[in-house]
Amino acid sequence: MDRRELFAGSAAAGVVLASGAAVAAQHGEDQKKHYMPPHKEFRAQAQVCLGDGHACLDHCLALLGRGDTSMAACAKIVKQMNAVCAAIGPVASTGSRHVKSIAKLCLEVCTDCKAECDKHAKKHMLCKVCSESCAEMIKIAKTIA
């Protein structure tokens, strides 16, 4: 094989690779345009609620550990809220037919959680933050349930 043949073969391979990359890039752009993850806002707020709920629950448990039982009901409902919000991602991201059901359950649990957190919001900042997260989740869940 001489240099001309090598160069011609290399150039042809380059053209093939470049055109393949262009097709792949266009396909990727088409996929981005057509795929929108289902219930993105619902799933994102569930993650916010989970984070704020875990912080609130840790706070409740610390107080309970010191003998302050005033946060017992809050700890129970926050634990329930965390369980429901943890289930939202896997259910909603697959476009499950159960999204409306979990949104309805979420609406009920977050309403209870917000009401309980509101009782302690003036005294405990973490309860206020959890209540605000639940309020946002309630708005979103209402649009789905």
Side-chain angles (χ1 to χ4, degrees), residues 60 64 69-80 112-113 116-117 119-120:
C60 290
L64 286 166
T69 60
S70 67
M71 302 298 285
C74 192
K76 287 179 185 178
I77 191 61
V78 169
K79 186 173 181 180
Q80 293 171 32
D112 292 349
C113 187
E116 190 60 38
C117 285
K119 294 177 186 177
H120 309 283

Side-chain angles (χ1 to χ4, degrees), residues 17-34:
L17 288 174
S19 64
V23 169
Q26 182 59 45
H27 180 70
E29 288 302 313
D30 290 343
Q31 289 299 314
K32 287 179 189 174
K33 290 177 189 172
H34 295 292

Side-chain angles (χ1 to χ4, degrees), residues 25-137:
Q26 182 59 45
H27 180 70
E29 288 302 313
D30 290 343
Q31 289 299 314
K32 287 179 189 174
K33 290 177 189 172
H34 295 292
Y35 179 72
M36 176 58 114
H39 307 289
K40 185 177 179 180
E41 186 180 26
F42 187 41
R43 291 181 296 120
Q45 187 59 35
Q47 290 302 308
V48 171
C49 284
L50 267 172
D52 293 341
H54 284 305
C56 187
L57 183 58
D58 290 346
H59 177 67
C60 290
L61 293 174
L63 291 172
L64 286 166
R66 287 185 255 159
D68 182 351
T69 60
S70 67
M71 302 298 285
C74 192
K76 287 179 185 178
I77 191 61
V78 169
K79 186 173 181 180
Q80 293 171 32
M81 182 273 294
N82 282 346
V84 171
C85 284
I88 288 170
V91 172
S93 68
T94 60
S96 170
R97 66 184 181 91
H98 301 290
V99 172
K100 284 188 178 199
S101 298
I102 201 162
K104 184 176 185 289
L105 177 61
C106 177
L107 180 61
E108 293 172 9
V109 171
C110 284
T111 298
D112 292 349
C113 187
K114 182 183 179 332
E116 190 60 38
C117 285
D118 284 345
K119 294 177 186 177
H120 309 283
K122 288 184 181 175
K123 186 175 179 183
H124 303 284
M125 178 56 80
L126 292 172
C127 293
K128 181 177 189 266
V129 170
C130 190
S131 172
E132 290 168 354
S133 294
C134 282
E136 186 61 29
M137 181 54 101

